[in-house]
Amino acid sequence: MTETVVFAVCAVCAVASGAAVFVVDSMARATFALLASFLLTAAAILLLGLSYLGVLVVLMMIMEMMVMAVFMIMYMMNPAGLMPMTMVHNKAGSLVVSVGVFLLLAAGAVFVPWPERTGEPPADPTLALGEAVMGEHMLVMMLVGLVLFATMVAATVLTTHRGRYERYGDDLRRESPDDPIGGGLDR
Amino acid sequence: MILEAYLLLAAALFSVGLFGALSQQSVVMVMMGLELMVNAVIVAAASLWFFVSPERADGQVLVLVAVTAMAVEMAMGFAVTTAIFRARDVDMVDMAADLGDGGDR
């Protein structure tokens, strides 16, 4: 009973703070509303006994929203929300599409005959997850590692101000790099 | 607690995120909408694990993949935002419609 009440409160507040992201003026407030939404859904995940994944979501979202707040202030013209302004296009159409999608998904969630539950949760779901990603699902873990590494490289390449083509020319044939301040021993 | 309640929460989060991703003009706000949508996938996968087949860890692995997808989306999204802002001073999605058909610009 207590779990049901906690879940209901978390679910309603998670959706409400998720909607608040696109309503509030201040970008900082939007970021923290999103963080609240993520933390409340993480509480719902924790209610399922997924302690590791729930805590993982909590920690990752706190870090991610801190980074997000920095980028918000960098890229938004109105970070503090001192002037009320809206930056939206096709609001009515978006509202119609999202309400339609919600009704479709909700109808699916309610009316689909979901399969009966088989088995009981293991005593330690984290152990089961660890054994899965180090056993039969190892390919998933390897791909995730590879993708994360590729993301690090690609994000660095995309964001760097001066790459190899700026330094060595479009065909990379320049003898010495064209740097504002030369490096190396014999400068 | 029942599966349907969790799936309804996931559906609501997904719809709110979809509304944000479709309606917002700022690149960062669009990414917030995408994050909400991936969060809905996390909730749905976790609840399906618990209520349908808790003795297998497949649902948990799916949550792990969704969390990774969220991190990758955020990193690459901000990298692309930085790149296009540096190159052309673009910080709104309407200003980066080069690949559109140009019909309604």
Side-chain angles (χ1 to χ4, degrees):
Chain A
M1 182 62 200
T2 319
E3 285 188 352
T4 312
V5 173
V6 172
F7 170 75
V9 171
C10 283
V12 171
C13 293
V15 177
S17 54
V21 170
F22 306 111
V23 174
V24 294
D25 286 325
S26 152
M27 289 307 117
R29 263 176 250 154
T31 313
F32 285 110
L34 190 62
L35 177 60
S37 174
F38 284 141
L39 293 184
L40 289 163
T41 49
I45 294 173
L46 285 172
L47 282 179
L48 296 175
L50 291 175
S51 46
Y52 167 68
L53 289 174
V55 172
L56 177 74
V57 169
V58 169
L59 293 178
M60 190 182 125
M61 288 314 152
I62 291 177
M63 298 308 292
E64 200 170 309
M65 287 308 119
M66 292 305 112
V67 177
M68 185 83 112
V70 172
F71 274 91
M72 282 299 233
I73 292 164
M74 271 165 67
Y75 285 119
M76 300 293 289
M77 47 190 86
N78 186 23
L82 295 176
M83 304 169 290
M85 62 184 284
T86 50
M87 285 171 53
V88 290
H89 51 192
N90 197 10
K91 193 172 181 182
S94 310
L95 208 56
V96 168
V97 169
S98 52
V99 169
V101 166
F102 173 72
L103 291 178
L104 196 68
L105 290 175
V110 173
F111 294 119
V112 167
W114 297 104
E116 285 296 309
R117 189 183 200 191
T118 55
E120 285 295 309
D124 188 357
T126 312
L127 179 68
L129 174 64
E131 282 176 345
V133 294
M134 285 297 138
E136 54 177 333
H137 291 304
M138 193 182 247
L139 184 64
V140 175
M141 202 60 188
M142 290 164 73
L143 280 177
V144 161
L146 210 61
V147 166
L148 283 175
F149 179 68
T151 304
M152 283 189 249
V153 175
T156 311
V157 168
L158 272 174
T159 49
T160 187
H161 186 45
R162 287 174 51 76
R164 56 207 285 246
Y165 293 105
E166 280 82 23
R167 298 179 73 228
Y168 289 100
D170 288 340
D171 48 4
L172 299 176
R173 293 221 178 124
R174 204 171 282 157
E175 285 291 314
S176 59
D178 175 23
D179 286 336
I181 299 172
L185 288 174
D186 53 348
R187 65 179 132 161
Chain B
M1 291 186 299
I2 49 169
L3 174 63
E4 282 81 358
Y6 270 87
L7 291 181
L8 281 178
L9 167 63
L13 286 173
F14 188 87
S15 312
V16 170
L18 184 65
F19 168 72
L22 286 179
S23 69
Q24 297 294 315
Q25 283 181 308
S26 159
V27 182
V28 188
M29 293 298 276
V30 170
M31 281 171 56
M32 285 192 166
L34 294 178
E35 301 248 316
L36 273 172
M37 289 160 79
V38 182
N39 198 29
V41 174
I42 291 177
V43 172
S47 61
L48 281 172
W49 168 81
F50 186 80
F51 290 107
V52 174
S53 71
E55 89 280 8
R56 294 179 54 81
D58 300 0
Q60 290 198 67
V61 175
L62 196 56
V63 173
L64 207 63
V65 171
V67 168
T68 314
M70 204 182 236
V72 169
E73 177 254 315
M74 166 122 167
M76 290 314 292
F78 280 134
V80 170
T81 311
T82 306
I84 197 167
F85 187 78
R86 206 167 242 159
R88 301 196 346 222
D89 247 3
V90 166
D91 64 346
M92 305 231 298
V93 284
D94 296 325
M95 294 152 71
D98 308 52
L99 295 180
D101 56 6
D104 53 352
R105 261 188 292 153

